Amino acid sequence: MTDTILKVKNVSHWFDSNRVLHNVNLDIKRGQVVALVGPSGCGKSTLLRAIVGTHPPLRGEITMRDRGEARLVTSPGRDRGIVYQRYSLFPHLTARENVAFGLMLDETGIPFRLFCRKAWKKLRKNHLEQAAEMLEKMKLGASLNKYPPEMSGGMCQRVAIAQALIMKPAALLLDEPFGALDEATREELQRILLTLYAENQTAREEGRDPPHTVVIVTHEINEAIFVSDRVVGLSQYWDWREAGETSCPGATIVYDKKAPVFSPDDERDFLSFRDQKDEILHAVFDPEFCQSYREYVALARTGSARKISNRSKR
Ligand SMILES: Nc1ncnc2c1ncn2[C@@H]1O[C@H](COP(=O)(O)OP(=O)(O)OP(=O)(O)O)[C@@H](O)[C@H]1O
Ligand SMILES: [Mg+2]
């Protein structure tokens, strides 16, 4: 039940002379909701794109393990769903049709739709019912037949999440999904993520596999701690000199710790985790603070949460 579903091993990536990621190692277990934070431009989206498979890393490997089978990630696949900051819904389809679209592509082909009209009609009805159920979960039950131009940004983003979730991805990847939303809408969406986490907990209690494994990139540290059960910090601010490098070889993981778990109805009390926020600001975002390389290597080997120590100043 605590098996690794996504493994990032020694991943490095660069664009010409711009070295972006250096030896990134990350094990994500089934049912975890991991928030990935880091300074702007450190390579969070690059890492996510490598996991999605649209831009595989130049060095290292990424493996997905679903139902016992391990597969090297070399291209996008339905085991990984992605939602970006800017939703890309089809404007001429309703919310429900947008959500059912992926199922249609996955389960039917044009010949089936053209020549097996009766079977297709039945399957279509089933897809639309599943889509309605998913939108209900996203609290959009009253907007099933609305078109994207008739919905707010927050509503569209919920449709985009439903679109990804309906495909039952082994890992759901979110790249700054709430970045364009106002604070109140952002909070609503954060609570939807907490609902997914609560579903995981119910599944665990009932002896089932937790259904949702999520990686969310966000630059909002309060959000990261509030929605996740683990915060991972990617940063170019680590002691690469100690590793024998003459210039920064790229960002790597400098922080990896559990985060407190909240339920969807809990008050959003940011003060309750202020210490962890300060710690992340210091360890991940402060250019003056450089994580010891030796400590980083230990972190990469064990992949476990640990205390920050051996602080060094440059
Ligand atoms: N396709 C590309 N071609 C060249 N350079 C790129 C490309 N994509 C990203 N980069 C560079 O790689 C670095 C990391 O970019 P990336 O978008 O992954 O950062 P990020 O951490 O997601 O930033 P932000 O928080 O601003 O979204 C940046 O220096 C960026 O300019
Ligand atoms: Mg980005």
Side-chain angles (χ1 to χ4, degrees):
M1 205 156 292
T2 52
D3 49 334
T4 295
I5 207 163
L6 167 64
K7 194 174 185 68
V8 175
K9 197 171 164 201
N10 295 334
V11 160
S12 297
H13 197 78
W14 55 92
F15 298 98
D16 300 323
S17 62
N18 182 8
R19 299 202 282 175
V20 178
L21 298 175
H22 176 77
N23 260 352
V24 174
N25 285 280
L26 192 59
D27 272 20
I28 293 180
K29 300 202 186 312
R30 186 185 296 278
Q32 282 188 328
V33 176
V34 178
L36 180 64
V37 298
S40 183
C42 74
K44 303 179 292 299
S45 296
T46 302
L47 179 57
L48 225 59
R49 282 195 291 267
I51 297 172
V52 176
T54 51
H55 299 73
L58 291 175
R59 191 174 292 154
E61 59 184 43
I62 296 172
T63 323
M64 284 292 299
R65 184 183 287 274
D66 195 16
R67 294 177 193 90
E69 193 192 328
R71 280 187 310 278
L72 204 61
V73 170
T74 51
S75 59
R78 73 164 286 181
D79 56 348
R80 285 146 289 138
I82 176 95
V83 176
Y84 297 100
Q85 184 179 73
R86 299 266 165 220
Y87 38 82
S88 46
L89 305 180
F90 300 107
H92 59 287
L93 298 182
T94 63
R96 184 160 52 160
E97 289 164 349
N98 261 291
V99 175
F101 193 79
L103 290 176
M104 179 189 81
L105 286 190
D106 197 55
E107 294 177 13
T108 72
I110 292 173
F112 175 81
R113 297 201 292 271
L114 281 180
F115 302 118
C116 310
R117 299 293 295 176
K118 216 168 159 192
W120 162 228
K121 231 174 136 182
K122 198 168 157 206
L123 192 61
R124 173 76 178 155
K125 190 164 171 268
N126 173 276
H127 289 169
L128 290 172
E129 278 166 10
Q130 285 187 55
E133 219 173 281
M134 190 55 75
L135 285 165
E136 201 80 52
K137 205 159 102 172
M138 296 291 132
K139 300 192 175 13
L140 282 176
S143 307
L144 301 182
N145 297 318
K146 287 205 166 120
Y147 290 88
E150 298 170 337
M151 293 187 284
S152 69
M155 289 162 86
C156 287
Q157 203 57 322
R158 276 187 267 171
V159 177
I161 294 174
Q163 233 178 11
L165 279 179
I166 202 162
M167 303 307 292
K168 297 195 171 59
L172 174 66
L173 311 165
L174 307 166
D175 193 354
E176 305 246 15
F178 315 144
L181 306 177
D182 62 72
E183 194 48 38
T185 312
R186 202 174 176 126
E187 180 175 347
E188 279 171 32
L189 275 280
Q190 289 168 355
R191 291 192 187 280
I192 287 197
L193 286 191
L194 294 182
T195 312
L196 301 185
Y197 196 81
E199 282 179 16
N200 281 350
Q201 283 175 313
T202 307
R204 284 191 191 97
E205 282 159 22
E206 293 173 355
R208 290 181 286 119
D209 277 344
H212 307 293
T213 306
V214 182
V215 181
I216 172 171
V217 169
T218 172
H219 63 263
E220 233 297 327
I221 303 174
N222 283 327
E223 176 171 277
I225 301 172
F226 184 60
V227 301
S228 76
D229 64 345
R230 173 181 173 195
V231 179
V232 169
L234 185 70
S235 179
Q236 61 275 48
Y237 308 135
W238 59 279
D239 200 348
W240 36 263
R241 285 196 181 88
E242 207 183 319
E245 300 279 348
T246 48
S247 63
C248 179
T252 200
I253 287 169
V254 299
Y255 183 93
D256 188 345
K257 270 197 182 185
K258 286 183 180 157
V261 169
F262 291 89
S263 77
D265 303 322
D266 282 342
E267 200 189 327
R268 213 168 53 139
D269 179 10
F270 292 158
L271 281 179
S272 67
F273 47 76
R274 197 176 56 189
D275 287 352
Q276 188 166 13
K277 180 184 177 183
D278 289 345
E279 189 179 60
I280 294 170
L281 276 173
H282 183 61
V284 184
F285 290 84
D286 180 359
E288 294 296 311
F289 171 71
C290 290
Q291 196 79 29
S292 154
Y293 176 69
R294 267 187 284 278
E295 199 176 343
Y296 152 61
V297 169
L299 170 68
R301 282 207 190 108
T302 61
S304 60
R306 89 286 185 245
K307 288 247 180 296
I308 296 173
S309 57
N310 296 344
R311 291 173 180 193
S312 63
K313 287 259 179 191
R314 224 194 273 162

